């Protein structure tokens, strides 16, 4: 029960939290070092979307050949380095990001184990659902960005030319910054259904409300997409806003189902909290 945690003092909790943070830091650093040592394997994954042999481009090529037989659809984009220590620093940052991603289940486990004694059984059950589903949705958003949104954006912007005399030379820093920012942004955006479900179960949100303000939500989605996109072109804006709109429409059905379940069980805000 949540009341058991009150037997420990503030400094006791602070000591426990410090131990949790130290364990998380150690595991993250170790995972980052391991990722740093496997440089070839790490960057073969990170740099894969720049090659025309990437799975997304192969799928698009096969679809294009099916729709228009006999047409070739290849492209080539070169990455360059513009700083003396830039490649080494990018290697370290990428390895650290990969380490955090790999040990993220352990990080969530440690944080949940620290917080769970302060929760009641109902709160712990809801927290488990929200954290678990939220984590899976975040990973889904990262994968959607890696396999769909970023490759399409990179291919369009990396091969776009105002003239055949101007060659595109994309810096490694620009490539990595765009990839990380878009992956993180889409991971956060994909939390929308989970948050909508939680608010619906608590009685704060209904499908009727979401349908009534659908047009307002579309405008807000376009604004958010314009803020989180690293570039200002219309193509990237649409590539980011379309999944967000689909998530909103999906969330309407999730909220409708959650509201019906709450009505059947009689669960309201007070019981959920």
């Amino acid at each position: 029960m949540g009341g058991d945690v009150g037997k420990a003092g503030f400094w006791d909790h602070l000591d426990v939290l410090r131990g949790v943070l130290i364990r998380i830091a150690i595991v993250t650093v170790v995972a980052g070092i391991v990722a740093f040592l496997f440089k070839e394997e790490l960057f073969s994954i990170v740099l894969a979307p720049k090659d025309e042999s990437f799975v997304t481009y192969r799928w698009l090529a096969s679809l294009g050949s099916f729709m228009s037989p006999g047409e070739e659809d290849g492209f080539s984009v070169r990455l360059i380095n513009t700083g003396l220590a830039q490649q080494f620093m990018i290697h370290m940052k990428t390895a650290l990001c990969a380490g955090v991603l790999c040990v993220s289940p352990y990080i969530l486990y440690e944080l949940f184990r620290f917080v769970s004694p302060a929760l009641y059984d109902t709160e712990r059950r809801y927290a488990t659902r929200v954290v678990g589903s939220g984590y899976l949705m975040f990973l889904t958003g990262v994968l959607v960005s890696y396999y769909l949104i970023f490759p399409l954006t990179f291919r369009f912007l990396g091969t776009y030319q105002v003239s055949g005399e101007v060659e595109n030379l994309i810096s490694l820093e620009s490539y990595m910054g765009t990839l990380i920012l878009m992956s993180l942004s889409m991971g956060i955006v994909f939390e929308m259904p989970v948050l909508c479900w939680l608010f619906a179960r608590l009685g704060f949100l209904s499908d009727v409300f979401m349908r009534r303000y659908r047009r307002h939500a579309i405008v807000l989605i376009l604004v958010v997409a314009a803020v989180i996109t690293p570039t200002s072109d219309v193509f990237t804006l649409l590539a980011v806003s379309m999944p967000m709109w689909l998530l909103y429409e999906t969330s309407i059905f999730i909220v409708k189902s959650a509201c019906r379940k709450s009505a059947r069980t009689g669960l309201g805000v007070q019981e959920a909290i």
Side-chain angles (χ1 to χ4, degrees):
M1 296 294 290
D4 295 340
V5 73
K7 298 178 180 179
F10 171 78
W11 296 109
D12 295 325
H13 293 307
L14 195 61
D15 287 337
V16 175
L17 178 61
R18 182 177 60 181
V20 169
L21 296 179
I22 290 175
R23 288 195 297 272
I24 289 176
I26 292 175
V27 172
T28 301
V29 170
V30 171
I33 293 175
V34 172
F36 185 87
L37 296 177
F38 287 89
K39 181 179 67 174
E40 297 295 332
E41 292 78 5
L42 175 62
F43 281 91
S44 65
I45 297 174
V46 172
L47 299 179
K50 80 175 185 63
D51 296 324
E52 63 177 340
S53 59
F54 189 57
V55 59
T56 303
Y57 305 137
R58 293 203 309 268
W59 180 80
L60 290 175
S62 62
L63 180 62
S65 62
F66 174 77
M67 300 295 295
S68 303
E71 292 188 7
E72 295 292 333
D73 197 25
F75 75 100
S76 176
V77 179
R78 292 176 56 192
L79 295 183
I80 62 172
N81 178 56
T82 58
L84 180 62
Q86 202 169 70
Q87 291 203 55
F88 179 75
M89 296 303 298
I90 289 176
H91 184 189
M92 291 184 61
K93 292 177 182 178
T94 306
L96 182 60
C97 290
V100 171
L101 187 62
C102 290
V103 302
S104 53
Y106 174 78
I107 295 175
L108 289 177
Y109 168 74
E110 283 287 354
L111 294 176
F112 184 76
R113 193 176 68 166
F114 171 74
V115 174
S116 60
L119 302 176
Y120 292 97
D121 292 338
T122 304
E123 295 171 334
R124 192 177 297 115
R125 184 168 61 252
Y126 271 86
T128 303
R129 292 180 184 178
V130 171
V131 172
S133 56
Y135 177 71
L136 292 178
M137 290 301 296
F138 180 86
L139 291 182
T140 302
V142 171
L143 292 176
V144 168
S145 175
Y146 177 77
Y147 282 106
L148 183 62
I149 297 178
F150 177 75
L152 294 179
T153 301
F154 178 77
R155 179 171 181 172
F156 174 77
L157 297 180
T159 59
Y160 186 84
Q161 292 177 290
V162 296
S163 172
E165 299 179 357
V166 182
E167 182 181 3
N168 286 328
L169 297 176
I170 311 300
S171 69
L172 179 61
E173 182 181 21
S174 175
Y175 177 92
M176 291 301 304
T178 304
L179 174 62
I180 293 175
L181 180 59
M182 292 190 72
S183 299
L184 180 62
S185 300
M186 292 309 300
I188 295 174
V189 165
F190 267 67
E191 300 295 331
M192 185 190 304
V194 179
L195 294 177
C196 289
W197 174 86
L198 178 62
F199 292 152
R201 291 291 289 168
L202 294 176
F204 298 146
L205 187 64
S206 68
D207 59 301
V208 176
F209 176 87
M210 296 183 69
R211 287 193 176 93
R212 180 183 303 166
Y213 292 95
R214 178 185 275 117
R215 284 182 290 185
H216 301 76
I218 292 175
V219 175
L220 181 61
I221 285 172
L222 291 174
V223 172
V224 173
V227 171
I228 67 177
T229 47
T231 58
S232 57
D233 63 286
V234 177
F235 181 85
T236 306
L237 177 65
L238 293 177
V240 174
S241 58
M242 282 300 293
M244 295 175 65
W245 173 72
L246 292 175
L247 285 172
Y248 184 84
E249 295 297 330
T250 303
S251 299
I252 292 178
F253 292 99
I254 293 176
V255 168
K256 183 177 181 180
S257 176
C259 290
R260 286 180 177 177
K261 186 174 181 180
S262 297
R264 289 197 303 267
T265 59
L267 179 62
V269 177
Q270 298 297 327
E271 290 183 70
I273 296 177

